[in-house]
């Protein structure tokens, strides 16, 4: 049996095949053969943009934080076809950003997102097209939720339909005083199709999820906070001030080395998606990537005392 000292020495040496094990923990999404054809179709519905900004190590307290801005204010930041593709591209960039620790996702113009642009919805009206778009956005939001960084949906204004679903793919939801979350799908003769039922059920449980979706309930910040859907209510409703407040809130959680924050997120995701035995094994492996590493050694050298 491997002794504790030998195990620690093995971890520090990082065997050649250890990086392969870590790549297995990155939870890659399965590529879909029809993605290219669907993206070509989606790009035929222009309007708005999804803008990604990465804060590198030179940017002080914001280093390691990314910002995704939904920018289609004329339509309350509804997703056009182009924006769906750009959202996928933004998530793909974040998947390979090794210095990332956190993400703020918000909408421009003091609004969050009102779902899908109806021009694309009306044009893609067949069952097959609807299913393909559902699969595409489910894949995108699942990959967003599995990113090894802490993600925050900043809900300023209304998050409706697909916009409400988008909030549930983030780890946390912060709401401004006039924010609102509503799964309006019932009024469109639909159920959520971007993964919102699955994500919301994991956050709130089945009974509360049924009540919210079946009732198309409009949740203000106080109601969302009481249910556990919102994690905090911001003090300001002004766009710039609320954004700065959200950045400070997230920065408190991401303070410290990126590898530690990313390891914590990976361990939690695996705990939520795997059986206990597999989760425990994954947790040991992630623990092993940090044990004896730079952050661990630096902390030991400081001789930190926990009071």
């Amino acid at each position: 049996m491997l002794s504790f000292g030998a195990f620690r020495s093995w971890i520090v040496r990082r065997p050649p095949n250890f990086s392969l094990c870590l790549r297995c923990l990155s939870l890659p999404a399965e590529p879909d053969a029809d993605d290219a054809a669907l993206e070509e179709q989606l790009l035929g519905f222009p309007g708005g943009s999804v803008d990604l900004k990465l804060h590198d190590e030179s940017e002080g307290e914001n280093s390691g934080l990314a910002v995704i801005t939904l920018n289609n204010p004329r339509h309350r930041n509804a997703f056009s076809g182009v924006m769906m593709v750009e959202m996928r591209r933004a998530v793909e960039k974040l998947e390979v950003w090794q210095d990332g620790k956190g993400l703020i996702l918000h909408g421009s113009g003091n609004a969050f997102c009102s779902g899908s642009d109806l021009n694309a919805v009306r044009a893609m009206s067949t069952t097959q097209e609807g299913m393909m778009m559902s699969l595409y956005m489910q894949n995108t939001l699942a990959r967003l939720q599995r990113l090894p960084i802490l993600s925050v949906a900043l809900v300023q204004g209304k998050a409706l339909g697909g916009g409400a679903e988008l909030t549930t793919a983030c780890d946390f939801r912060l709401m401004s005083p006039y924010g609102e979350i509503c799964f309006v799908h019932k009024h469109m003769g639909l159920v959520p199709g971007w993964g919102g039922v699955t994500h919301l059920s994991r956050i709130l449980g089945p009974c509360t999820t049924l009540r919210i979706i079946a009732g198309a309930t409009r949740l203000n910040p106080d109601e969302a906070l009481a249910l556990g859907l919102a994690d905090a209510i911001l003090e300001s409703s002004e766009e710039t001030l609320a954004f700065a407040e959200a950045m400070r809130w997230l920065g408190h959680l991401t303070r410290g080395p990126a590898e530690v924050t990313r390891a914590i997120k990976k361990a939690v995701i695996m705990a939520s998606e795997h059986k206990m035995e597999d989760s425990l094994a994954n947790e040991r492996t992630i623990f092993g990537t940090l044990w004896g590493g730079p952050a661990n050694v630096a902390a030991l050298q400081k001789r930190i005392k926990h009071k």
Side-chain angles (χ1 to χ4, degrees):
M1 183 176 179
L2 194 64
S3 68
F4 179 79
F7 174 74
R8 177 168 179 156
S9 176
W10 177 84
I11 289 294
V12 172
R13 289 200 306 271
R14 302 285 202 274
N17 63 344
F18 199 62
S19 61
L20 176 62
C21 179
L22 292 184
R23 287 198 296 273
C24 293
L25 297 179
S26 63
L27 297 169
E30 295 182 7
D32 186 81
D34 296 322
D35 273 1
L38 178 61
E39 287 184 352
E40 184 177 355
Q41 187 175 5
L42 290 173
L43 291 172
F45 302 99
S49 63
V50 175
D51 307 319
L52 172 65
K53 177 176 175 57
L54 305 179
H55 294 271
D56 60 29
E57 294 181 357
S58 66
E59 300 192 52
E61 62 182 13
N62 290 335
S63 64
L65 301 185
V67 178
I68 288 179
T69 304
L70 307 178
N71 190 13
N72 193 9
R74 286 184 56 196
H75 299 284
R76 293 187 297 177
N77 299 321
F79 271 89
S80 65
V82 167
M83 289 174 67
M84 292 181 188
V85 176
E86 289 182 350
M87 186 70 189
R88 171 70 66 87
R89 298 292 174 265
V91 170
E92 289 173 345
K93 289 179 182 177
L94 290 170
E95 286 176 329
V96 297
W97 186 36
Q98 296 301 312
D99 297 324
K101 297 190 288 184
L103 166 68
I104 296 280
L105 196 160
H106 74 128
S108 63
N110 224 12
F112 187 73
C113 175
S114 59
S116 303
D117 188 321
L118 293 180
N119 291 326
V121 171
R122 292 189 185 101
M124 301 178 68
S125 59
T126 69
T127 299
Q128 182 179 4
E129 289 172 327
M131 291 284 286
M132 289 175 63
M133 184 170 63
S134 171
L135 178 61
Y136 186 85
M137 290 304 291
Q138 281 186 356
N139 182 278
T140 298
L141 297 196
R143 291 166 70 174
L144 168 65
Q145 200 269 333
R146 288 168 169 169
L147 287 172
I149 60 179
L150 308 186
S151 58
V152 169
L154 170 55
V155 183
Q156 297 168 276
K158 295 183 178 182
L160 305 177
E165 294 188 71
L166 183 58
T167 70
T168 66
C170 294
D171 298 315
F172 307 103
R173 284 147 295 281
L174 305 181
M175 298 181 70
S176 69
Y178 297 103
E180 180 182 293
I181 298 175
C182 184
F183 292 80
V184 298
H185 305 78
K186 180 180 179 179
H187 298 318
M188 301 292 294
L190 296 169
V191 298
W194 293 0
V197 173
T198 300
H199 293 303
L200 189 63
S201 294
R202 291 183 175 182
I203 297 168
L204 300 181
C207 291
T208 303
T209 297
L210 273 172
R211 182 155 50 87
I212 289 172
I213 294 179
T217 307
R218 294 185 176 274
L219 297 172
N220 63 36
D222 290 328
E223 292 166 334
L225 185 65
L227 288 172
L229 182 58
D231 294 276
I233 302 173
L234 303 179
E235 294 182 1
S236 178
S237 58
E238 195 278 325
E239 185 174 6
T240 303
L241 293 177
F243 180 80
E245 196 176 342
M247 287 288 278
R248 289 193 297 272
W249 191 93
L250 177 59
H252 174 73
L253 297 181
T254 58
R255 192 177 298 134
E259 63 267 27
V260 177
T261 299
R262 294 168 68 87
I264 292 169
K265 174 63 183 291
K266 286 182 180 180
V268 171
I269 286 294
M270 289 175 179
S272 69
E273 294 190 352
H274 292 72
K275 295 179 180 179
M276 179 174 286
E277 293 79 4
D278 294 334
S279 177
L280 290 171
N282 288 327
E283 189 173 326
R284 286 195 303 275
T285 302
I286 296 172
F287 172 83
T289 68
L290 297 177
W291 184 266
N296 179 226
V297 171
L300 290 173
Q301 290 174 343
K302 291 179 182 178
R303 298 183 179 180
I304 298 173
K305 294 183 179 180
H306 304 286
K307 298 180 180 180

